[in-house]
Amino acid sequence: MSTPSPKTAGWLDWHPNPSEPAFRLPPGTVDAHCHVFGPQATFPFAPERKYTPCDAGKDRLFALRDHLGIARNVIVQATCHGADNSAMVDAVRAAGGRARGVATVRPDVTDDELRRLDAAGVRGVRFNFLRRLVTASPKDDLTTIARKVAPLGWHVVLYFESADLPELADFFGALPTALVVDHMGRPDVTEPVDGEQFTGFLRFVDRHDVWVKVSCPERLTVTGPAALDGERNAYTDVVPFARRVVAEFEDRVLWGTDWPHPNLTDHMPDDGLLVDHVPHVATTAARRQKLLVDNPMRLYWPGEAN
Ligand code: 0GY
């Protein structure tokens, strides 16, 4: 057997024992953004990857799901696995209907392969524009992929930096599928919430009927996880941004843990605190029911009761 590649320098492993959340997630809660990494002995990482993560397999993901009181997962293909969706598909299958997948495919993907992924539980593809994660794909290739998956009723998940949205917005708007944006379009949370950049993002969401993941406060924060007076209110600098998205688009927001939190080097979040962040951004029970249950069910399990 080949020797496993060492982790990227500075890489932090997932939290070994997340706390018990104080907030009880409503029954049927969907974690709409999480990943599996390997284990690399079974599912080797892609040669073209830009980082090497720790192993974070499906058993650990399902243990976290049960610990936090989550009912279902949407497992998003991470760039370290390139377009080899085996680890993600294996995890989705193993979840027995309690997971869906978002894949990465190349423009020459066949209809047979797409049907196989669909039968396994995949419902979308991800287009990633972060230079530190991928070499940019030509837009024509992405359009080809979007046209191939549209007949299956899949959507496109978009991961981009907020500064790149003005250049990308028209391209996104012309794609023939529903769109889902990761991590609120990665706002700079040191800018005002009603400033030009975030307002531009909100208008983009409004104009194109986009779904938004209110996720990753641990990645967007500048002030860090410091909790106030034991209230378990972490990542307070991200709250106004997430709260605004939930208030303006309550029928098109999704929530996710982003476990196992790739590429964090400053701190590793306590996933229990991430759950306790939710009531600060979705401030009524009705909004939380939509964010955590009704919206992701409509997108990933349409027609199924939670
Ligand atoms: C995330 C964020 C990151 C990584 C990836 O696919 C990936 O490698 O998405 C990141 O480093 O910001 O959503 O997991």
Side-chain angles (χ1 to χ4, degrees):
M1 199 169 55
S2 61
T3 314
S5 307
K7 287 180 295 183
T8 298
W11 182 277
L12 295 178
D13 287 358
W14 32 266
H15 199 291
N17 48 0
S19 61
E20 191 82 30
F23 171 63
R24 272 180 93 85
L25 290 166
T29 286
V30 179
D31 174 353
H33 189 97
C34 54
H35 310 285
V36 286
F37 300 151
Q40 67 170 311
T42 314
F43 301 108
F45 299 125
E48 74 273 21
R49 69 188 180 282
K50 297 211 177 186
Y51 63 85
T52 300
C54 58
D55 276 341
K58 60 180 184 286
D59 295 342
R60 185 68 205 188
L61 175 66
F62 298 156
L64 181 76
R65 174 195 70 192
D66 297 344
H67 171 72
L68 297 178
I70 288 166
R72 294 175 168 84
N73 296 102
V74 180
I75 306 175
V76 177
Q77 176 75 355
T79 56
C80 56
H81 278 298
D84 176 356
N85 295 289
S86 317
M88 180 272 289
V89 165
D90 172 72
V92 170
R93 285 212 171 101
R98 293 178 65 188
R100 295 290 193 233
V102 173
T104 296
V105 299
R106 304 291 180 224
D108 60 356
V109 66
T110 63
D111 288 344
D112 276 355
E113 174 62 2
L114 291 176
R115 273 194 293 271
R116 190 185 70 80
L117 290 168
D118 188 69
V122 171
R123 295 292 180 267
V125 285
R126 191 180 194 208
F127 294 170
N128 199 318
F129 297 85
L130 268 72
R131 294 165 196 83
R132 68 178 166 80
L133 294 176
V134 286
T135 304
S137 298
K139 286 181 183 153
D140 285 352
D141 285 0
L142 299 176
T143 301
T144 299
I145 293 169
R147 287 191 182 137
K148 284 188 177 187
V149 305
L152 292 162
W154 289 13
H155 55 267
V156 170
V157 173
L158 301 168
Y159 190 27
F160 57 85
E161 299 279 6
S162 53
D164 294 330
L165 181 59
E167 192 273 310
L168 291 167
D170 288 346
F171 168 68
F172 292 159
L175 291 171
T177 66
L179 303 175
V180 179
V181 172
D182 282 344
H183 317 330
M184 301 188 283
R186 292 189 60 102
D188 175 351
V189 300
T190 65
E191 295 282 318
V193 71
D194 56 358
E196 195 182 326
Q197 192 182 73
F198 200 56
T199 304
F201 172 69
L202 296 173
R203 297 290 69 81
F204 164 74
V205 172
D206 191 33
R207 213 167 40 246
H208 297 291
D209 252 8
V210 174
W211 298 68
V212 183
K213 287 182 200 164
V214 180
S215 49
C216 262
E218 74 282 9
R219 201 177 287 288
L220 303 174
T221 187
V222 174
T223 54
L228 293 179
D229 306 329
E231 277 187 39
R232 299 181 58 84
N233 181 9
Y235 308 114
T236 46
D237 55 342
V238 184
V239 167
F241 293 81
R243 197 181 275 186
R244 176 128 189 234
V245 176
V246 172
E248 285 202 26
F249 305 104
E250 63 180 23
D251 292 315
R252 284 188 269 136
V253 284
L254 308 166
W255 171 81
T257 58
D258 195 33
W259 188 89
H261 313 290
N263 300 306
L264 291 185
T265 50
D266 290 344
H267 81 283
M268 179 52 54
D270 167 356
D271 298 281
L273 274 183
L274 290 177
V275 168
D276 284 339
H277 182 72
V278 171
H280 297 283
V281 305
T283 49
T284 65
R287 282 185 181 159
R288 292 192 283 273
Q289 176 69 21
K290 289 182 175 192
L291 171 70
L292 299 167
V293 185
D294 298 350
N295 296 346
M297 287 302 289
R298 212 163 66 250
L299 189 59
Y300 288 100
W301 285 268
E304 277 190 41
N306 60 61

